Amino acid sequence: MSEPSPSDEVLLAAWLAGDRKAGFALFERHYDAVARFFQSKVGDQGGDLIQRTFLACVESLPSFQGRASFRSYLFAIAYRQLCRFFRDRAREQQRLDFTSVSAEDLQPSATAAIGQREEVRLLLAALRRIPVELQVLVELHYWEGLTTGEIAQVLEIPPGTVRTRLMRAREQLDAVMQRIAESPSLAHSTQTGFERWAAELRAPLRARRDPEPG
């Protein structure tokens, strides 16, 4: 019987102590999740953002105090990289509000070719039409299984606000799906099977692993 894989905390402690293999193991464990995070928002341009996220993780690791889980720490870095990416491309950078602007508004040409089922395509299209912050909330909760507390750490908002905005996100998703679906029956089947289609969207993504832990 094989030994259980070491926890993130064990790997992180080993990495901080100088074990580069532990750093590689952490990156390998969380790479697909970070890839999914960017794929649904910027499409094929996500490769550079993935690399920036892991490099920023390496650079900021000495200041990590363990107050959050490693994955929420990593997603917080990914979210900041995403916001910076969008702001760098926005004409009115100071007015960009991620609680109201959507990924579709900011990156309309991003690929939506994840999944073949009509419900999966509809769900992804709807996700890209709600505000970026709400899209991130939904994906971190339903795709990555982060707790309310972990999401609060990622977005730097109170846990109660996370719960309120998750409800708002589901309401907005339902409204968008009803508006853009090819038929009422497709909107209904997507809404009623939401968690199933969300899980299908979570299918692992594979890409070249460029960043290396220091």
Side-chain angles (χ1 to χ4, degrees), residues 39-45 107-114 124 128:
Q39 175 70 52
S40 62
K41 302 167 190 67
V42 300
D44 295 338
Q45 295 186 58
Q107 190 80 359
S109 61
T111 179
I114 302 177
L124 182 59
R128 287 180 44 77

Side-chain angles (χ1 to χ4, degrees), residues 30-42:
H30 294 286
Y31 185 92
D32 285 343
V34 174
R36 281 192 296 271
F37 181 87
F38 290 119
Q39 175 70 52
S40 62
K41 302 167 190 67
V42 300

Side-chain angles (χ1 to χ4, degrees), residues 125-139:
L127 277 168
R128 287 180 44 77
R129 285 168 170 79
I130 65 175
V132 170
E133 185 182 88
L134 296 186
Q135 180 183 0
V136 169
L137 277 164
V138 169
E139 292 177 2

Side-chain angles (χ1 to χ4, degrees), residues 8-9 64 66-74 146 150 153:
D8 283 359
E9 291 75 18
F64 179 58
R67 295 175 182 170
S69 66
F70 179 76
R71 64 176 182 168
S72 60
Y73 168 70
L74 188 59
L146 266 65
E150 288 176 319
Q153 291 167 340

Side-chain angles (χ1 to χ4, degrees), residues 98-145:
F98 295 107
T99 65
S100 59
V101 69
S102 72
E104 182 69 17
D105 295 331
L106 298 167
Q107 190 80 359
S109 61
T111 179
I114 302 177
Q116 299 300 317
R117 292 292 296 261
E118 288 183 328
E119 289 88 351
V120 172
R121 292 197 299 269
L122 175 60
L123 176 55
L124 182 59
L127 277 168
R128 287 180 44 77
R129 285 168 170 79
I130 65 175
V132 170
E133 185 182 88
L134 296 186
Q135 180 183 0
V136 169
L137 277 164
V138 169
E139 292 177 2
L140 292 182
H141 182 67
Y142 289 100
W143 292 13
E144 310 305 339

Side-chain angles (χ1 to χ4, degrees), residues 192-204:
T192 56
F194 179 85
E195 293 193 16
R196 173 187 175 186
W197 308 125
E200 190 165 320
L201 267 175
R202 191 187 180 281

